[in-house]
Amino acid sequence: MMENALFESHFDLIPFGIYVVDAASYRIVYSNRAFNEHFGHHAGKLCHEALYERAEPCPWCRLGELLTPQGLPSGQTRVFEHFNESDDRWYQMQVRAMTWPDGRVVRYAIGVDISELKDTQNQLAEAHARLALTNIELARLSTTDMLTGLANRQQTEHLL
């Protein structure tokens, strides 16, 4: 279909991995060039089996949140962070339901690799913890006599 080709050509321009799943069957309808280069081609396969080696739909799929009780797109978008064990990377995921040009209701997911950001956050958290421990030690050293281990004069005067 011409409309499908138009959607696909636009999605192929986006530098982040995108895949589209049929809401009724969980089969991959489409994946863009960036996704295919990283994860391979999986069109027609069940997303949870092909991408995550799971027998059932993934708990982070959020498809139920994206559909109305009638099974139509709700207009809701969900953004969350997800660690993908298959490639050992962190992704910020944006998922949303929409009507595909052929009339099917689908869920698309855009995954932006944020692994470097998560590494930086972890390094900052570790540095913060080291700084807190150093501050505790400095406070102890500033109020304790090094020779006797007792409160020093400054601490004694503070206590009075």
Side-chain angles (χ1 to χ4, degrees):
M1 279 185 140
M2 185 66 146
E3 292 174 335
N4 280 8
L6 182 62
F7 263 71
E8 294 170 7
S9 67
H10 283 89
F11 281 155
D12 273 339
L13 296 174
I14 297 172
F16 310 114
I18 300 174
Y19 67 102
V20 179
V21 175
D22 183 292
S25 68
Y26 289 93
R27 295 205 178 273
I28 298 174
V29 173
Y30 167 78
S31 52
N32 74 344
R33 182 177 300 126
F35 181 90
N36 294 337
E37 288 172 359
H38 188 76
F39 293 103
H41 296 272
H42 296 288
K45 298 178 183 173
L46 292 172
C47 59
H48 49 275
E49 288 180 0
L51 303 178
Y52 302 106
E53 300 175 355
R54 297 179 59 90
E56 299 174 354
C58 307
W60 57 87
C61 176
R62 313 263 171 105
L63 185 57
E65 300 173 26
L66 304 173
L67 300 176
T68 66
Q70 297 77 28
L72 299 173
S74 68
Q76 299 288 318
T77 301
R78 297 289 186 250
V79 178
F80 57 95
E81 293 178 355
H82 171 68
F83 182 74
N84 185 346
E85 293 178 2
S86 68
D87 68 349
D88 207 32
R89 310 285 298 167
W90 277 99
Y91 293 91
Q92 180 184 60
M93 301 297 296
Q94 176 180 319
V95 295
R96 184 179 176 107
M98 64 181 280
T99 303
W100 199 243
D102 64 8
R104 286 186 281 186
V105 174
V106 299
R107 179 199 45 92
Y108 72 82
I110 302 172
V112 178
D113 188 337
I114 59 168
S115 299
E116 288 182 28
L117 174 64
K118 293 302 257 182
D119 287 344
T120 301
Q121 286 175 337
N122 289 337
Q123 290 170 6
L124 285 172
E126 289 171 7
H128 186 294
R130 284 192 305 273
L131 182 60
L133 291 173
T134 300
N135 282 339
I136 291 169
E137 179 64 12
L138 286 172
R140 187 191 66 77
L141 290 172
S142 71
T143 59
T144 306
D145 181 78
M146 291 175 54
L147 183 60
T148 64
L150 300 173
N152 65 14
R153 181 176 176 180
Q154 178 184 356
Q155 180 68 6
T156 303
E157 288 177 0
H158 177 73
L159 293 174
L160 297 176

